[in-house]
Amino acid sequence: MTTDKNYDLIVVIINKGFTDLVMEAAKDAGARGGTTFVARGTGNKEMGEFFGIAIQPEKEIVFVLVEEEIKDKVLLEIYKGAGLETQGSGIAFSLKVSDVVGLTPLEDIDKISNE
């Protein structure tokens, strides 16, 4: 099933307790919301020393689904507000999304399907 818009999924891995930084930045750039998961990092001490950051095992992952047109803006704002040089020490990346349901009313999807 396809919609008339293209979407990307932004995935942010951030230190536990700093998801508000991610969501504030994403919303400032036009995102409507996100979903947070609790996670555990497996980074090793040597990597932390190499990059000059503390590796904390308690993490949170934030998924933010955005329209393709605003993806770069959202990623940039997340980087500025919650990136490696902040207390959140977040990293972010995006993935192309091929199909989306649940963002448009069913009657709109029926119209698209019948075209």
Side-chain angles (χ1 to χ4, degrees), residues 5 7 23 26-27 30-34 64-67 70 103:
K5 295 182 181 182
Y7 292 90
M23 289 314 308
K27 286 182 178 181
R32 291 189 270 169
V64 182
L65 187 66
V66 297
E67 293 178 10
I70 66 167
L103 296 178

Side-chain angles (χ1 to χ4, degrees), residues 30-72:
R32 291 189 270 169
T35 301
T36 302
F37 298 89
V38 176
R40 180 164 171 76
T42 60
N44 63 36
K45 185 177 180 181
E46 292 80 22
M47 290 297 286
E49 290 172 359
F50 178 77
F51 288 110
I53 59 172
I55 303 291
Q56 295 183 355
E58 295 81 22
K59 302 288 183 187
E60 290 181 297
I61 300 173
V62 182
F63 286 176
V64 182
L65 187 66
V66 297
E67 293 178 10
E68 184 179 51
E69 297 82 33
I70 66 167
K71 176 201 56 156
D72 290 337

Side-chain angles (χ1 to χ4, degrees), residues 6 28 46 93 110:
N6 294 320
D28 286 348
E46 292 80 22
F93 58 91
D110 288 339

Side-chain angles (χ1 to χ4, degrees), residues 102-113:
L103 296 178
T104 51
L106 187 56
E107 57 270 8
D108 290 349
I109 291 176
D110 288 339
K111 289 178 193 173
I112 293 169
S113 299

Side-chain angles (χ1 to χ4, degrees), residues 67-87:
E67 293 178 10
E68 184 179 51
E69 297 82 33
I70 66 167
K71 176 201 56 156
D72 290 337
K73 183 178 178 182
V74 173
L75 278 170
L76 178 60
E77 289 304 311
I78 289 171
Y79 176 73
K80 289 195 275 185
L84 283 176
E85 299 195 12
T86 70
Q87 286 185 318

